[in-house]
Amino acid sequence: MEKTTNRRDIARVEPYKAFFLAMVIASSSFAGTFLYLAISEMTRPLIATSHYHFNIQFEGLDETSMNEIVNNSVIPLLQMYSRHPAWKANIEFQGLMLEWMNRLGNTTRKTNVTLPNNAGTLENQNGIDLLRYLVARGQIQLIVVQYSDALAIAYPYIDFFKSINYTRQLLRDLDIINATSTSGVSHVVLLQEGQFALGSSRLVADFQKPTGSPAYDTFLTTRETLSFYGVENRAGLYTYEIGGEQVYVLPYHPVPMLEGGAEHHLLWFFDGEYVNDGRGPTWTESGYIDYGDEAAYIGFNEEKQTNHERQLEDLEQMGDVFMTLDEWVAYMISHGDVQPLGKWVPETHWAIYRHHSSFVWMSDTRGNTPYDDNEILARCYETHQMLLATEVMLNYSRSLAAIDATTYRSLFSNMTRAWLNLALAEVSDSTGIKPSTFEGEDAIRNLNNAISNASYVRSFVINATPGLNDTINVMHGAIQILPSNLGTPNPLVVNGSAVNFTTTGVASIGDLGQVGIQTMNNDSFGITRMRVETAWDPTLNGTEYYSVLSNFPRTNTSAFTEKWSYITFTGDFSTIQYSPCFWENLSVQITRADYNADTPDSYNDWSADRYDNFEIYMPLPNGLIYSTNMHCAIVKNCTSTHLCAKWNTRDVRFMQTKTLSNLNPAGETWNFFVMLDVNISQAIAFANLVNTNAPLRVHEGI
Amino acid sequence: MGLCGLAIVYASMGIGMVLLARVYAMIPLEQDSEFGDFDHALGMRYGASTFFFVMAAATIIIGYVALFSKKENTRKATSRLLAFLLQPWITFAVITIGVLWYLQLSNSDGDIAAFFASLQGIDVNTVVGQAHYEYIMRGTPYFEFMMVAAGLGLITPFAMYSNDMLLTVNDAFLIGKKRKILGPVERLHNQACQGLVGTAIACALFAAGSIAIGYFLGTGIDVLWPLFNLREYKVLVEVAPSILGSIGIFLAIASILHRIRPKQRFVRKMSWIAFIAELCIPIYGWFFALTLYKDLRLEKLENDQASSKI
């Protein structure tokens, strides 16, 4: 057939051919894309998990608030699940919630539960009974780890351990777990405000089920955290090994993801109260309701919960399978969607990018508490040292048979109460984003309770133990308590000391070699040369170090144009070693270049209203950060300065945006130790000696 | 067949709304938040999708009559009816209503809300009135309207071309009684120029989208993982928009030159480069590129024939 070349002929057909072809392209592209998506959506299994986070300490220990959270939020949610026997969910809260629900007993909102298979009804179930029933029915699986929603990553492991240990006992006492069944509590760990630490692996060995399998071995974190630290291999579940323990890291994401060959999504992952809480003036189908102006108090907004219930009913009709997190982890393992994490992910807190991780608890950017975060954290740390030493003293006394078993148990329960007081004071809400006045005050009140409980035990033990009584009360001498295992045959040194920190002279910044120091808003600064002396630890004995003291007055006055304060240590910090949270005797080595770069900036590089870059903040619970290249250690004295460190290649900065210093009108004296030419083992030993397991000197009146 | 293609695009968008509703239903919805009411998921699944399926059916049925009716008047009338439906006025109307509802909800004591609430006898300056009006606005399908507008916006280029072709075939016009009806070749040339502008606009929209995604990531909200990684936010904010913006500007210039000097050697070279640039933009670029290709080919033929006459 002859090819048409006449323009008129071509013009008659070509535009239509062009249109026709263009529409074929468009329609086939659209139809292909949407049909592919539709088919892939319909053919994949649909799986939902959830973790409703409840915090009964939302308003500290305000009883009205605690009651309302139980009655108007937790129980209505449980009621919703009781109406749908096929639904499963994880609910996360602290041990205190269980304790409080149990204490409320029959005063809570009541529920009539219709049993499956027309097996009748359970009448008038109170909150704790309803919870226990739903847990036993396999519908609700709890995530309960700590007693209080404490800022675990800021403090030594023993504080975390004590809190968990008590909670496990509480779970047994309330028959939520028992010798034969522990499935009511998930082995997945979720900590309030996005706290995540690979060092949580320490729980694997320390908390086990009766069968010997770990009670906790999986740790939840956000995809954002992994993305922030450059974990780019894609998996639904990751493994990591530290301290000889392998753990799973379970990332979650707010939008549906393809994981384990299924389409996985979350029914809920933030505050459970938001499912059904009524706050302030509200209009509902039945008309106007005022739930009250107080942010602290919440009512039950049935319409809100119905919205959630309808959504879940719809998903169920779509064939969605609701799994507990334990089931979901097992599903991913069985479907092979597990990969090694591949790199160290430093500890995080809050939404790492938006809220600058741990920096939120080291600052006072938007809050109105009279305390700055540093003084709350430092006081908590100081109380930790006191409690630890007191417990050592109690056990010492018992080992001498100075107190009988009954008295010991009684005193030990006092100590347990003290540790719980400390856990309550360490609650993450007392620092961080927008701490309120009452939250700081709550922390101080709980610390005073902890100290009071410990002081009672210490006095009792001193009076009951002949050697101690003679030394302190009769001869007015002193003893040194050594929580550190320094190899001493005895944890107490009577009328002497096993550890001395001796001042040997005055020094200047020039003496610190490659380490430089810069400060902002301090009114005094000094460096002294010191030496640690302990015959019991040859690796440390005679080690020289420098003590850096800088006083930061209150910056909440007009005299300060810049409210924030800092001390920066400069030098080669491109590769560092530090003790991960919960593993104070270990170290990990990381290189800044292995993480996304923090662009060069001034101090004001954090800003809530613009996109930011990759700043790494480190809690350093034993205070240590070690420069591998300079062979030097910076150790913060956590009882004076427990700010997090901002880590960059050429500097490590400790800072807070405002010094309020409510406890001491003269300001805060921040104390750091600089160790030159030491190895990492010496640095760790020293950091633990001055922070984690610091010796306590006891004399009459203390 | 072109209208069938358009109907398929509408139907695909209907499926898209069902899929979007499905994903929406999987996200934790807190009723208090502005997009947290589960009714929006149902509205998209049943309301928005139905709208697009109806549009697909209307395109087929009216288009069939417009093309195959034996009566010329019927063909012209149905052409005008379909063209009327395919014009972007529905998009503008829907987005306007949706945004108005949303603005009243998000700022329930603002001036706009106060005005419309007063028409219903509600005073938003009182706590009770504000709560009541917020409740009313929360019940409006603002999200569904926005999604319908977005879907229509995506279909607009195809709908406009179809509308144009249908009117051409039937020698009809949408508004007015008489105006110069362009021939197919002139119309193709116009469409090629419009396509360049359309692709330039698409580039600008992609650039804006890239900045938005980058900024979104930059605040640490990485809901787009694994499509985009957090660390890529600077590329999305700074690099990608520069490239897309440059292409868009080039296409806009090419469009002007192609309209006024289509036969100049330099302009034709520029148009061919623009053709390649268009191919880089998925679906829309391909759609427009094909028209440009045909136009360039026809012009080449015209040039060749003009040369042979000389």
Side-chain angles (χ1 to χ4, degrees):
Chain A
M1 193 174 145
E2 195 182 340
K3 194 177 174 185
T4 302
T5 53
N6 182 281
R7 182 178 177 263
R8 273 181 60 191
D9 292 342
I10 292 171
R12 194 161 45 81
V13 296
E14 284 292 304
Y16 299 109
K17 276 169 68 179
F19 169 65
F20 170 71
L21 279 173
M23 287 308 296
V24 167
I25 290 171
S27 58
S28 56
S29 301
F30 267 81
T33 304
F34 285 114
L35 282 175
Y36 168 76
L37 289 173
I39 291 166
S40 63
E41 278 282 317
M42 301 303 166
T43 52
R44 280 200 188 89
L46 185 59
I47 296 174
T49 56
S50 55
H51 42 277
Y52 298 86
H53 163 68
F54 285 98
N55 175 17
I56 200 168
Q57 294 164 278
F58 186 73
E59 289 293 311
L61 299 180
D62 180 288
E63 292 196 5
T64 308
S65 172
M66 292 166 81
N67 293 346
E68 290 188 346
I69 287 169
V70 170
N71 270 315
N72 296 338
S73 196
V74 176
I75 294 177
L77 185 73
L78 295 175
Q79 289 173 329
M80 184 188 88
Y81 274 91
S82 74
R83 291 192 288 272
H84 302 276
W87 295 2
K88 291 181 179 179
N90 282 78
I91 294 182
E92 182 269 324
F93 47 62
Q94 63 275 68
L96 179 64
M97 174 77 86
L98 281 175
E99 201 171 64
W100 196 255
M101 285 176 81
N102 188 49
R103 182 172 150 181
L104 290 178
N106 283 326
T107 64
T108 62
R109 190 185 283 262
K110 300 282 176 46
T111 311
N112 294 331
V113 182
T114 305
L115 299 173
N117 306 320
N118 298 321
T121 54
L122 285 175
E123 302 283 340
N124 289 319
Q125 296 290 293
N126 67 30
I128 192 72
D129 286 342
L130 179 62
L131 177 67
R132 198 183 286 115
Y133 170 73
L134 291 174
V135 167
R137 199 159 87 173
Q139 264 191 272
I140 298 295
Q141 188 180 50
L142 299 179
I143 300 176
V144 182
V145 185
Q146 301 187 88
Y147 174 73
S148 155
D149 274 339
L151 185 56
I153 60 171
Y155 301 105
Y157 175 68
I158 186 76
D159 299 14
F160 195 39
F161 176 89
K162 291 280 185 185
S163 180
I164 298 171
N165 202 37
Y166 178 82
T167 305
R168 296 296 295 182
Q169 186 57 47
L170 192 61
L171 288 162
R172 286 188 286 271
D173 292 346
L174 296 176
D175 200 26
I176 288 171
I177 56 173
N178 54 47
T180 55
S181 175
T182 55
S183 59
V185 176
S186 176
H187 55 77
V188 173
V189 173
L190 174 67
L191 300 177
Q192 178 164 264
E193 290 173 356
Q195 292 179 73
F196 172 71
L198 285 170
S200 307
S201 61
R202 198 162 172 186
L203 302 182
V204 172
D206 286 353
F207 293 95
Q208 295 189 338
K209 297 177 181 178
T211 55
S213 60
Y216 305 109
D217 66 357
T218 305
F219 302 95
L220 269 170
T221 190
T222 57
R223 276 277 169 207
E224 179 194 349
T225 297
L226 302 187
S227 188
F228 183 94
Y229 285 117
V231 175
E232 286 168 18
N233 52 333
R234 188 176 174 176
L237 188 67
Y238 298 90
T239 56
Y240 197 85
E241 187 175 327
I242 177 174
E245 306 294 348
Q246 184 193 275
V247 290
Y248 293 109
V249 175
L250 178 62
Y252 64 93
H253 204 51
V255 296
M257 301 285 292
L258 298 179
E259 289 170 325
E263 185 162 16
H264 171 237
H265 70 104
L266 297 169
L267 301 174
W268 203 262
F269 66 94
F270 36 89
D271 294 5
E273 290 90 347
Y274 294 160
V275 169
N276 52 19
D277 65 342
R279 291 173 193 271
T282 308
W283 195 283
T284 67
E285 204 172 342
S286 53
Y288 179 72
I289 298 174
D290 190 353
Y291 291 106
D293 291 334
E294 285 286 333
Y297 305 128
I298 61 171
F300 170 48
N301 185 337
E302 190 171 4
E303 209 163 279
K304 265 181 89 173
Q305 182 164 293
T306 302
N307 188 61
H308 187 56
E309 190 169 2
R310 285 171 58 221
Q311 183 185 5
L312 269 58
E313 283 171 341
D314 187 71
L315 287 164
E316 188 183 27
Q317 283 175 6
M318 279 163 55
D320 207 353
V321 178
F322 298 173
M323 283 187 181
T324 63
L325 287 172
D326 284 15
E327 289 170 340
W328 174 235
V329 169
Y331 182 92
M332 275 190 292
I333 292 170
S334 67
H335 284 73
D337 194 7
V338 188
Q339 280 190 32
L341 192 60
K343 71 190 298 187
W344 176 257
V345 173
E347 294 75 9
T348 66
H349 181 209
W350 272 101
I352 185 166
Y353 207 94
R354 269 170 292 162
H355 300 305
H356 311 289
S357 188
S358 301
F359 181 66
V360 296
W361 53 269
M362 302 301 187
S363 65
D364 179 36
T365 50
R366 286 173 287 173
N368 55 1
T369 176
Y371 304 95
D372 62 49
D373 293 352
N374 183 41
E375 58 187 341
I376 298 284
L377 288 151
R379 292 291 76 72
C380 285
Y381 211 103
E382 191 176 37
T383 308
H384 147 84
Q385 292 179 351
M386 185 184 289
L387 265 52
L388 185 59
T390 304
E391 193 160 306
V392 168
M393 196 182 204
L394 172 64
N395 290 329
Y396 168 78
S397 184
R398 174 65 188 142
S399 71
L400 297 179
I403 49 177
D404 60 34
T406 309
T407 309
Y408 174 76
R409 277 196 296 276
S410 168
L411 292 172
F412 197 86
S413 69
N414 278 71
M415 280 312 299
T416 300
R417 195 65 246 167
W419 284 110
L420 298 181
N421 291 143
L422 177 60
L424 292 172
E426 289 175 350
V427 67
S428 56
D429 290 340
S430 60
T431 56
I433 294 178
K434 296 181 179 175
S436 301
T437 307
F438 74 87
E439 285 170 320
E441 286 168 351
D442 241 28
I444 298 297
R445 193 179 307 115
N446 281 305
L447 285 178
N448 288 337
N449 290 340
I451 292 165
S452 172
N453 274 313
S455 298
Y456 170 78
V457 172
R458 216 169 35 247
S459 296
F460 194 100
V461 167
I462 289 169
N463 292 334
T465 311
L468 301 181
N469 188 40
D470 290 348
T471 305
I472 293 174
N473 294 333
V474 179
M475 298 164 65
H476 308 294
I479 57 170
Q480 189 180 44
I481 306 167
L482 302 167
S484 281
N485 179 14
L486 289 171
T488 59
N490 200 322
L492 265 71
V493 181
V494 176
N495 268 337
S497 53
V499 183
N500 285 314
F501 303 100
T502 311
T503 303
T504 58
V506 178
S508 66
I509 293 177
D511 294 321
L512 302 181
Q514 297 174 68
V515 179
I517 296 179
Q518 296 164 355
T519 56
M520 164 69 95
N521 276 349
N522 59 324
D523 59 2
S524 69
F525 180 84
I527 304 177
T528 49
R529 195 187 300 271
M530 299 193 73
R531 185 168 59 233
V532 58
E533 292 163 342
T534 171
W536 302 106
D537 188 349
T539 60
L540 266 187
N541 193 28
T543 302
E544 301 275 352
Y545 63 98
Y546 297 89
S547 174
V548 177
L549 284 166
S550 185
N551 194 70
F552 293 87
R554 287 178 174 175
T555 51
N556 55 346
T557 65
S558 57
F560 293 89
T561 50
E562 296 290 353
K563 304 289 185 193
W564 61 286
S565 309
Y566 72 67
I567 182 162
T568 302
F569 295 90
T570 58
D572 182 356
F573 291 97
S574 55
T575 298
I576 59 163
Q577 285 166 274
Y578 76 103
S579 297
C581 290
F582 311 130
W583 286 104
E584 292 93 358
N585 291 321
L586 295 183
S587 69
V588 289
Q589 177 168 301
I590 50 178
T591 299
R592 189 63 182 82
D594 290 340
Y595 299 97
N596 293 317
D598 176 19
T599 53
D601 47 38
S602 57
Y603 60 85
N604 57 353
D605 55 357
W606 59 89
S607 166
D609 57 2
R610 71 175 180 85
Y611 59 88
D612 214 318
N613 49 31
F614 298 92
E615 297 166 355
I616 298 181
Y617 294 96
M618 314 195 71
L620 309 177
N622 73 348
L624 169 68
I625 191 162
Y626 179 82
S627 164
T628 307
N629 296 335
M630 294 195 296
H631 305 289
C632 79
I634 310 294
V635 180
K636 57 181 172 179
N637 180 346
C638 295
T639 59
S640 76
T641 323
H642 198 14
L643 300 166
C644 69
K646 181 184 175 188
W647 171 44
N648 261 321
T649 302
R650 291 180 184 168
D651 62 64
V652 173
R653 182 184 291 166
F654 300 85
M655 56 196 170
Q656 65 179 2
T657 54
K658 196 190 291 182
T659 303
L660 297 174
S661 186
N662 198 50
L663 295 175
N664 183 1
E668 293 170 7
T669 301
W670 297 1
N671 185 202
F672 294 86
F673 307 115
V674 180
M675 306 174 81
L676 305 178
D677 297 320
V678 289
N679 60 40
I680 184 65
S681 301
Q682 287 173 300
I684 289 175
F686 180 81
N688 287 332
L689 190 61
V690 295
N691 288 317
T692 319
N693 304 315
L696 185 71
R697 198 162 191 81
V698 176
H699 50 80
E700 197 170 14
I702 295 181
Chain B
M1 286 302 286
L3 287 177
C4 283
L6 181 65
I8 290 170
V9 172
Y10 273 122
S12 302
M13 194 54 76
I15 296 171
M17 288 293 143
V18 174
L19 292 174
L20 193 62
R22 183 179 160 91
V23 172
Y24 194 84
M26 290 183 208
I27 297 169
L29 298 174
E30 186 197 342
Q31 197 192 30
D32 276 355
S33 64
E34 286 163 357
F35 295 100
D37 204 307
F38 181 64
D39 282 341
H40 294 312
L42 299 179
M44 272 193 292
R45 186 188 300 161
Y46 300 115
S49 65
T50 302
F51 171 82
F52 284 106
F53 291 134
V54 167
M55 285 298 287
T59 304
I60 288 285
I61 295 165
I62 303 173
Y64 180 84
V65 177
L67 287 172
F68 300 111
S69 173
K70 289 176 182 168
K71 293 177 184 171
E72 190 183 350
N73 284 345
T74 308
R75 286 203 308 273
K76 285 196 176 186
T78 46
S79 300
R80 292 177 72 175
L81 172 64
L82 188 57
F84 180 71
L85 289 176
L86 300 182
Q87 291 292 312
W89 69 265
I90 298 180
T91 315
F92 292 129
V94 168
I95 192 79
T96 304
I97 296 168
V99 168
L100 266 179
W101 277 333
Y102 175 70
L103 288 176
Q104 291 178 77
L105 172 64
S106 60
N107 190 12
S108 56
D109 60 348
D111 293 342
I112 300 172
F115 172 73
F116 285 104
S118 68
L119 298 179
Q120 300 175 54
I122 298 171
D123 181 4
V124 293
N125 293 316
T126 65
V127 173
V128 178
Q130 190 184 351
H132 188 191
Y133 199 62
E134 230 177 72
Y135 180 78
I136 293 169
M137 284 301 107
R138 199 175 290 284
T140 57
Y142 53 92
F143 187 65
E144 294 88 312
F145 272 51
M146 288 177 184
M147 288 299 104
V148 165
L152 284 173
L154 290 172
I155 297 174
T156 295
F158 317 119
M160 292 296 283
Y161 268 49
S162 305
N163 145 42
D164 206 22
M165 277 295 160
L166 190 62
L167 292 172
T168 307
V169 165
N170 288 323
D171 279 346
F173 37 86
L174 185 60
I175 302 167
K177 290 188 176 176
K178 272 194 177 180
R179 68 177 190 183
K180 187 185 173 188
I181 298 173
L182 295 174
V185 177
E186 289 81 4
R187 203 174 281 276
L188 183 71
H189 181 64
N190 277 354
Q191 286 172 348
C193 295
Q194 286 165 7
L196 286 167
V197 176
T199 320
I201 292 170
C203 282
L205 290 175
F206 279 124
S210 177
I211 291 169
I213 292 168
Y215 191 89
F216 196 59
L217 289 179
T219 59
I221 304 167
D222 69 338
V223 290
L224 294 168
W225 190 91
L227 291 176
F228 300 103
N229 197 289
L230 265 188
R231 72 173 178 185
E232 287 155 5
Y233 80 90
K234 282 201 168 172
V235 173
L236 289 162
V237 169
E238 291 163 10
V239 181
S242 308
I243 295 169
L244 286 164
S246 305
I247 294 173
I249 291 166
F250 174 78
L251 290 170
I253 294 168
S255 163
I256 296 165
L257 294 176
H258 187 69
R259 180 176 284 278
I260 58 175
R261 293 276 188 274
K263 290 173 185 169
Q264 275 198 0
R265 193 177 172 83
F266 168 74
V267 175
R268 282 183 63 78
K269 281 187 177 170
M270 200 172 175
S271 298
W272 277 111
I273 295 169
F275 164 75
I276 294 165
E278 281 188 330
L279 288 177
C280 299
I281 309 293
I283 304 179
Y284 295 90
W286 304 337
F287 181 80
F288 294 131
L290 194 75
T291 315
L292 179 61
Y293 170 77
K294 288 286 181 187
D295 187 45
L296 286 167
R297 200 174 149 231
L298 273 178
E299 275 161 8
K300 172 78 167 47
L301 190 64
E302 197 171 321
N303 283 349
D304 291 349
Q305 287 182 348
S307 303
S308 66
K309 280 178 186 170
I310 294 167

